[in-house]
Amino acid sequence: MTIRVLDIIRGTTVDGPGFRTSIYLAGCAHHCPGCHNTQSWDFEAGQEMSIDEIMEIVKEEEFDVTLSGGDPMYQPNAVAELAARIRELGHTVWVYTGFTWEQIQDDPRLIDALKDVEAIVEGPFIESKKDPDLLFRGSSNQRIIYL
């Protein structure tokens, strides 16, 4: 199985607690005004990588993992497999998504993708609610939900 990846940042501390490997996935249809990563909206951006290739990087780094983007929830099957394999290694997974928790719960494909995820940072970025003092979130409407 492959997944479309924009970038992998090793050893970051901004996308969740502690040092993390952040994997930025391509594609987002939310198109939030004020988005800091508009280049991630393109579903064809980046490169296809196999889950095995990504897992080699995760193993090398030995950090917990964050999936961001774009919006990882547009690739739910790949997210489910990747999260399961990361969890098997003993690492946690956080997912950033523009979907709300309520939208995720209403879509079996999305909720199934999160069965091996520790937490999600959910909800669209809303520029008028931007708050640089929030931990791991861009706007005050976004919630961190521990699963």
Side-chain angles (χ1 to χ4, degrees):
M1 178 176 286
T2 63
I3 192 165
R4 186 152 288 274
V5 175
L6 291 170
D7 200 3
I8 298 176
I9 306 297
R10 302 167 187 236
T12 182
T13 58
V14 298
D15 293 326
F19 284 95
R20 308 185 75 77
T21 299
S22 287
I23 303 168
Y24 293 88
L25 305 182
C28 185
H30 300 295
H31 296 184
C32 301
C35 175
H36 74 282
N37 199 9
T38 57
Q39 67 274 17
S40 71
W41 295 356
D42 182 357
F43 285 90
E44 298 302 318
Q47 65 179 335
E48 289 288 328
M49 292 181 72
S50 71
I51 301 292
D52 289 339
E53 289 174 303
I54 295 169
M55 289 305 299
E56 287 303 314
I57 294 168
V58 170
K59 289 175 189 174
E60 286 173 15
E61 293 304 311
E62 299 183 353
F63 297 132
D64 291 331
V65 175
T66 295
L67 304 179
S68 191
D71 191 328
M73 300 310 291
Y74 285 106
Q75 300 183 64
N77 295 335
V79 165
E81 182 175 331
L82 182 58
R85 293 193 47 196
I86 292 167
R87 186 172 178 198
E88 284 175 8
L89 287 179
H91 300 300
T92 64
V93 178
W94 276 38
V95 172
Y96 279 75
T97 180
F99 291 100
T100 65
W101 178 236
E102 292 76 19
Q103 290 170 313
I104 291 168
Q105 288 179 305
D106 287 342
D107 188 329
R109 294 174 313 116
L110 300 183
I111 198 73
D112 288 347
L114 299 175
K115 67 181 184 224
D116 290 303
V117 169
E118 177 186 49
I120 63 169
V121 180
E122 60 83 44
F125 172 75
I126 298 176
E127 194 167 20
S128 65
K129 295 184 177 194
K130 181 179 180 178
D131 184 345
D133 294 327
L134 291 171
L135 190 60
F136 309 130
R137 297 174 290 153
S139 58
S140 61
N141 63 294
Q142 295 172 315
R143 300 176 290 181
I144 299 172
I145 299 191
Y146 289 90
L147 307 174

